[in-house]
């Protein structure tokens, strides 16, 4: 089983907690995508195992957001294969729906539904997509709201909450679908500095619970402590993949060295 | 150091004395009615002069209106029907209103040529319509029963207007007129045009279904591109030519369909504005949760998009309510047409102002109610959404 295929060609790295050869949850094989004439994903190869935590970083415009948005079909790739939990993403709407049920996503700008209460935000999809009875869905929602430490806000509306609270609700909302995989697209980039920690804490707990996670972030501290592997993307390519100690301690490519010196330099 | 006076000796948590006296009030001239007057009407010499000049015009105009509409007005004239003697009205034309016209003709204006003895039926229809509006306006009745209430009410309205069952005399549609016609045209118009407009607006945004999109674009542009009057003419004159021999569709129904199609095209663009104003993240979040297209549209997109466009929506509704008066051009006796017809007899010729003021007041009541209700609805929806 090939893991962490990178064009740089270094050896696949497996970290504690993830058995070598574990079942791949996400596989991207030679994925290419263009926005008009702009080539935004170039032969991207990445494989994420069950229970693995992968952090994706890179300069803005490097295609990291586009890549994870392809995993649940918010963006459509044009070449290559994306296989999630054994289902290949094609134009088949059934496959897309099946994958979206298994993949939770947290956005940079929260994207809570402002006209629904926090509780309704969390129960809508379980009730209508999972066909869960309302009462059961509400109990489940309260359980996850408690886990993200805001059960007392359940009856409020998103506009009444702080950014950090909203992002924690967004995490709870995604978890209420009981996904097998969680995608995070720069979850802390829109937050005030004092709120970043409360969101990261929730994400660390989630990682410890064994969730398969792909996280696009600039929080290198999070990458160091939580990630099994860190992926560096630049100009649409996966440039380097490695365990955090290797990745930060001994970067191989020039582009990663430059990037690390820029973000860690101050 | 002198010790602090005993009455203000309460100390706060930080050891500072807590002031215990009454809070100081702002100067009396800056608040309340006096403050408002000073700030808005008399803030400078120029403003004071403008205020006084305008006040003079407003007051003299109001006095004139009262003397025309109340003091010099004629409330009653001798005789009735063809023997009516309107010389008292003619004597003071220009100085006093002839409200006797309304007393004599209000039943014709309200109900048109509907058989006189049966006019309790259209009157009841108006009451049912108004009750239907009031019930529909209350959010606590917004559930599935409301749809059934509407169907039941509209059925009762049909039975009352047509008759022919339950011992009610049959009244052909050509004799209907006045306020019930206006309410029927606008209520059915809005009730059908609004859902249709939502479908058309959604269809116009279907980039993945070019045929549907093209159809919606063509519909909107075609209908918006012609005046309502020409649509009404087509419905009334041209459309029957295409029907097979012997088949006849009610003229009112044809006008109704024309109004629905016309209003839906306008409303569709209003709804589309709301759809476009919604941030893309809302669509993406709904997609990411696995909601189907119709779940996403029904639970996430429309509730937010329609709230955003309440003002222009109601704007279009109000315009549509008044546009129903254009059916007079194809000979349907709506409220405006009956008012126009009520002054056709020689005795009453020339008293158009009174008749038109009367129907204007009726139009105003309905339109103002819509406007006021939409403001309340907006405030209600926005209560939780301060961002």
């Amino acid at each position: 089983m090939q893991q962490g295929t990178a064009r740089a060609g270094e050896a696949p790295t497996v970290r504690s907690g993830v058995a070598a050869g574990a079942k791949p949850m996400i596989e991207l094989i030679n994925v290419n995508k263009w926005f008009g004439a702009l080539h935004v994903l170039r032969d991207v190869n990445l494989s994420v195992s069950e229970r693995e935590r992968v952090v994706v970083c890179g300069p803005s415009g490097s295609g990291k957001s586009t890549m994870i948005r392809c995993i649940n079909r918010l963006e459509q790739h044009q070449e290559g294969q994306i296989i999630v939990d054994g289902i290949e993403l094609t134009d088949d709407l059934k496959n897309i729906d099946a994958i979206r049920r298994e993949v939770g996503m947290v956005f940079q700008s929260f994207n809570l539904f402002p006209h629904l209460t926090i509780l309704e935000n969390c129960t809508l999809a379980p009730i209508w997509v999972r066909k869960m009875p309302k009462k059961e869905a509400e109990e489940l929602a309260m359980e996850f709201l408690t886990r993200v430490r805001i059960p007392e806000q359940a009856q409020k509306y998103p506009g009444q909450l702080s950014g950090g609270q909203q992002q924690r609700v967004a995490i709870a909302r995604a978890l209420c679908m009981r996904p097998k995989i969680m995608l995070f697209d720069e979850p802390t980039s829109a937050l005030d500095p004092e709120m970043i920690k409360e969101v990261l804490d929730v994400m660390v707990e989630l990682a410890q619970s064994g969730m398969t996670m792909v996280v696009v972030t600039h929080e290198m501290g999070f990458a160091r402590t939580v990630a099994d592997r860190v992926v560096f993307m630049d100009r649409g390519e996966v440039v380097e993949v490695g365990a955090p100690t290797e990745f930060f301690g001994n970067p191989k490519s020039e582009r990663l060295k430059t990037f690390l010196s820029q973000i860690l330099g101050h | 150091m002198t010790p602090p006076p005993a009455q203000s000796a309460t100390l706060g948590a930080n050891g500072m004395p807590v002031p215990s006296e009454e809070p100081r009030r702002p100067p009396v001239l800056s608040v309340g009615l006096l403050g408002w007057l000073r700030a808005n009407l008399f803030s400078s010499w120029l403003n004071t002069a403008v205020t006084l000049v305008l006040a003079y015009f407003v007051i003299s105009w109001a006095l004139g209106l009262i003397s025309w509409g109340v003091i010099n007005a004629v409330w009653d004239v001798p005789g009735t029907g063809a023997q009516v003697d309107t010389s008292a009205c003619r004597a003071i034309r220009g100085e006093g209103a002839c409200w006797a016209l309304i007393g004599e003709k209000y039943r014709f204006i309200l109900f048109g040529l509907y058989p006189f003895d049966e006019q309790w039926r259209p009157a009841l229809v108006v009451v049912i319509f108004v009750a239907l509006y009031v019930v529909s306006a209350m959010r606590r009745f917004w559930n599935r029963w409301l749809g059934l209430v509407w169907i039941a009410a509209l059925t009762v309205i049909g039975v009352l207007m047509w008759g022919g069952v339950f011992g009610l005399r049959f009244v052909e549609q050509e004799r209907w007129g006045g306020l019930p016609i206006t309410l029927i045209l606008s209520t059915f118009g809005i009730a059908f045009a609004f859902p249709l407009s939502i479908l058309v607006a959604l269809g116009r945004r279907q980039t993945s279904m070019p045929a549907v999109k093209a159809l919606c674009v063509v519909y909107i542009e075609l209908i918006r591109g012609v005046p309502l009057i020409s649509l009404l003419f087509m419905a009334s004159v041209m459309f029957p030519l295409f029907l097979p021999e012997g088949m006849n569709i009610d003229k009112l129904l044809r006008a109704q369909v024309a109004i629905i199609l016309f209003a839906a095209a306008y409303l569709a663009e209003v709804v589309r504005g709301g759809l476009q104003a919604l941030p893309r993240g809302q669509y993406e979040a709904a997609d990411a949760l696995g909601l189907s297209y119709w779940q996403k549209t029904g639970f996430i997109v429309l509730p937010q998009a329609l709230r955003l466009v309440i003002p222009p929506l109601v704007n279009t509704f109000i315009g549509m309510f008044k546009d129903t008066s254009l059916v007079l051009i194809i000979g349907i006796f709506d409220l405006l047409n009956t008012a126009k017809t009520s002054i056709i007899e020689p005795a009453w010729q020339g008293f158009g102002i009174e008749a038109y003021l009367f129907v204007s007041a009726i139009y105003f009541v309905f339109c103002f109610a819509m406007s006021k209700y939409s403001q309340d609805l907006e405030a209600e929806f926005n209560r939780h959404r301060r961002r």
Side-chain angles (χ1 to χ4, degrees):
Chain A
M1 221 303 339
Q2 192 186 22
Q3 261 206 4
T5 321
R7 301 239 299 182
E10 81 260 47
T13 333
V14 180
R15 240 187 138 204
S16 58
V18 183
K23 187 176 138 203
M25 286 300 276
I26 306 171
E27 271 184 292
L28 279 74
I29 303 163
N30 287 325
V31 171
N32 276 282
K33 175 167 178 62
W34 290 261
F35 284 131
L38 191 65
H39 199 171
V40 287
L41 292 181
R42 300 164 188 249
D43 292 323
V44 169
N45 284 287
L46 183 70
S47 169
V48 180
S49 311
E50 196 171 0
R51 300 172 73 88
E52 193 181 16
R53 283 91 64 167
V54 172
V55 165
V56 184
C57 60
S60 61
S62 59
K64 51 196 193 306
S65 281
T66 307
M67 182 192 72
I68 76 161
R69 288 160 60 87
C70 281
I71 296 174
N72 68 349
R73 227 342 133 94
L74 290 183
E75 302 287 356
Q76 202 174 333
H77 63 285
Q78 284 137 316
E79 274 179 13
Q81 273 182 301
I82 299 179
I83 301 162
V84 182
D85 195 20
I87 308 168
E88 185 177 354
L89 267 177
T90 56
D91 288 332
D92 190 343
L93 288 176
K94 242 195 232 128
N95 286 359
I96 296 174
D97 283 344
I99 287 172
R100 282 177 176 167
R101 275 197 291 272
E102 305 306 333
V103 179
M105 186 159 197
V106 174
F107 299 86
Q108 179 178 356
S109 48
F110 329 139
N111 294 346
L112 294 180
F113 305 129
H115 63 301
L116 301 177
T117 64
I118 299 307
L119 190 63
E120 288 166 341
N121 263 281
C122 294
T123 56
L124 183 76
I127 290 173
W128 291 96
V129 180
R130 288 250 187 258
K131 312 289 178 205
M132 198 182 277
K134 189 174 174 210
K135 203 165 170 301
E136 198 181 315
E138 284 178 351
E139 282 165 11
L140 182 70
M142 286 314 293
E143 185 191 320
F144 282 113
L145 286 174
T146 311
R147 256 176 73 179
V148 301
R149 292 186 282 278
I150 30 178
E152 71 281 359
Q153 313 281 7
Q155 297 307 326
K156 289 195 183 167
Y157 286 83
Q160 296 167 297
L161 270 54
S162 74
Q165 289 173 324
Q166 290 195 45
Q167 193 60 298
R168 284 185 282 150
V169 171
I171 294 173
R173 176 176 73 177
L175 290 177
C176 281
M177 283 294 284
R178 293 207 175 281
K180 294 182 178 160
I181 300 162
M182 283 286 282
L183 307 176
F184 292 83
D185 187 3
E186 304 203 26
T188 55
S189 300
L191 295 175
D192 292 336
E194 74 270 23
M195 293 170 184
I196 291 177
K197 186 173 178 300
E198 62 187 60
V199 172
L200 288 181
D201 285 349
V202 167
M203 289 169 63
V204 170
E205 267 173 45
L206 188 63
Q208 284 160 354
S209 75
M211 176 66 76
T212 308
M213 292 164 73
V214 179
V215 183
V216 171
T217 187
H218 297 294
E219 294 296 328
M220 290 303 130
F222 178 82
R224 252 188 245 271
T225 52
V226 176
D228 295 307
R229 279 186 301 152
V230 187
V231 175
F232 173 65
M233 287 184 73
D234 189 25
R235 282 173 243 155
E237 294 170 313
V238 172
V239 178
E240 196 163 334
V241 182
T245 40
E246 273 290 295
F247 187 91
F248 292 108
N250 188 16
K252 293 183 180 59
S253 62
E254 276 311 308
R255 284 197 263 178
L256 177 55
K257 281 179 194 162
T258 319
F259 176 71
L260 288 177
S261 72
Q262 277 164 351
I263 61 164
L264 300 174
H266 48 265
Chain B
M1 284 277 276
T2 50
Q7 64 269 26
S8 64
T10 16
L11 295 183
N14 53 2
M16 296 294 285
V18 176
S20 61
E21 72 262 33
E22 291 267 308
R24 279 179 66 185
R25 301 208 172 276
V28 81
L29 279 180
S30 68
V31 290
L33 181 63
L34 272 182
W36 185 88
L37 287 175
R38 256 167 67 103
N40 291 293
L41 299 178
F42 303 103
S43 57
S44 67
W45 285 112
L46 183 64
N47 272 354
T48 306
V50 171
T51 299
L52 292 177
V53 170
L54 288 179
Y56 169 78
F57 282 117
V58 169
I59 290 170
S60 58
W61 179 79
L63 288 177
L65 189 69
I66 290 170
S67 99
W68 177 82
V70 182
I71 299 170
N72 292 334
V74 177
W75 299 90
D76 210 358
V77 289
T80 182
Q83 284 80 44
V84 74
D85 174 18
T86 54
S87 52
C89 278
R90 302 222 171 267
I92 54 144
R93 275 199 64 189
E95 284 150 55
C98 181
W99 297 126
L101 167 78
I102 307 301
E104 173 81 12
K105 293 285 189 188
Y106 77 95
R107 287 186 58 168
F108 178 79
I109 295 176
L110 288 178
F111 306 123
L113 293 169
Y114 208 87
F116 197 80
D117 295 334
E118 304 284 336
Q119 284 184 0
W120 61 270
R121 282 156 55 181
L124 193 55
V125 163
V126 170
V127 171
I128 293 174
F129 267 126
V130 171
L132 198 55
Y133 303 150
V134 170
V135 169
S136 311
M138 287 194 245
R139 289 194 72 190
R140 85 180 101 116
F141 293 122
W142 288 8
N143 53 42
R144 76 187 74 176
W145 295 106
L146 194 58
L148 293 179
V149 168
W150 267 75
I151 292 169
L154 296 179
T155 311
V156 171
I157 284 168
V159 168
L160 279 171
M161 290 303 285
W162 261 299
V165 284
F166 308 125
L168 294 171
R169 201 178 123 197
F170 175 74
V171 179
E172 62 272 35
Q173 185 267 304
E174 281 70 25
R175 300 196 63 178
W176 301 5
L179 187 54
I181 289 279
T182 296
L183 295 184
I184 287 170
L185 285 174
S186 43
T187 307
F188 280 92
I190 290 172
F192 284 91
F194 188 36
L196 177 63
S197 73
I198 290 174
L199 290 180
V200 173
L202 290 172
R204 191 168 180 169
R205 286 173 57 84
Q206 292 302 322
T207 39
S208 55
M209 288 189 270
V212 172
K213 182 179 171 171
L215 196 69
C216 294
V217 172
V218 167
Y219 166 72
I220 292 172
E221 298 304 339
L222 211 59
I223 299 276
R224 270 203 316 183
V226 296
L228 176 55
I229 289 186
S230 63
L231 275 186
L232 289 170
F233 268 131
M234 274 208 281
S236 135
V237 183
M238 272 173 60
F239 183 66
L241 300 179
F242 299 116
L243 288 180
E245 194 77 31
M247 188 177 167
N248 187 22
I249 295 181
D250 192 297
K251 182 156 79 171
L252 187 65
L253 181 61
R254 281 181 269 137
Q256 179 77 77
V257 171
I259 287 175
I260 290 171
L261 292 179
F262 187 77
Y266 276 86
L267 288 169
E269 287 297 277
V270 172
V271 173
R272 190 167 69 95
L275 295 176
Q276 274 172 349
L278 204 61
R280 207 163 66 119
Q282 293 289 310
Y283 293 87
E284 289 179 350
D287 283 338
L289 284 169
L291 295 175
S292 73
Y293 175 78
W294 289 109
Q295 288 168 344
K296 175 174 71 172
T297 305
F299 295 129
I300 308 302
V301 177
L302 285 180
Q304 295 187 67
L306 294 182
R307 276 168 213 207
L308 287 171
V309 293
I310 287 176
L313 268 185
V314 174
N315 200 23
T316 314
F317 287 161
I318 289 176
M320 189 178 162
F321 183 79
K322 293 179 297 179
D323 277 354
T324 58
S325 59
L326 286 172
V327 296
L328 76 85
I329 214 137
I330 56 170
I332 292 175
F333 280 86
D334 79 310
L335 186 59
L336 191 66
N337 203 4
T338 53
K340 181 167 155 275
T341 313
S342 72
I343 49 169
I344 224 160
E345 286 167 36
W348 295 111
Q349 270 176 18
F351 296 106
I353 294 179
E354 288 83 348
Y356 290 130
L357 271 180
F358 179 64
V359 294
S360 299
I362 296 174
Y363 276 111
F364 179 78
V365 167
F366 283 98
C367 294
F368 187 67
M370 275 193 260
S371 160
K372 202 74 201 129
Y373 176 65
S374 81
Q375 286 169 20
D376 291 350
L377 204 57
E378 252 182 282
E380 164 105 24
F381 280 150
N382 288 332
R383 192 165 298 155
H384 307 294
R385 302 196 45 214
R386 307 244 161 76
R387 281 194 265 191

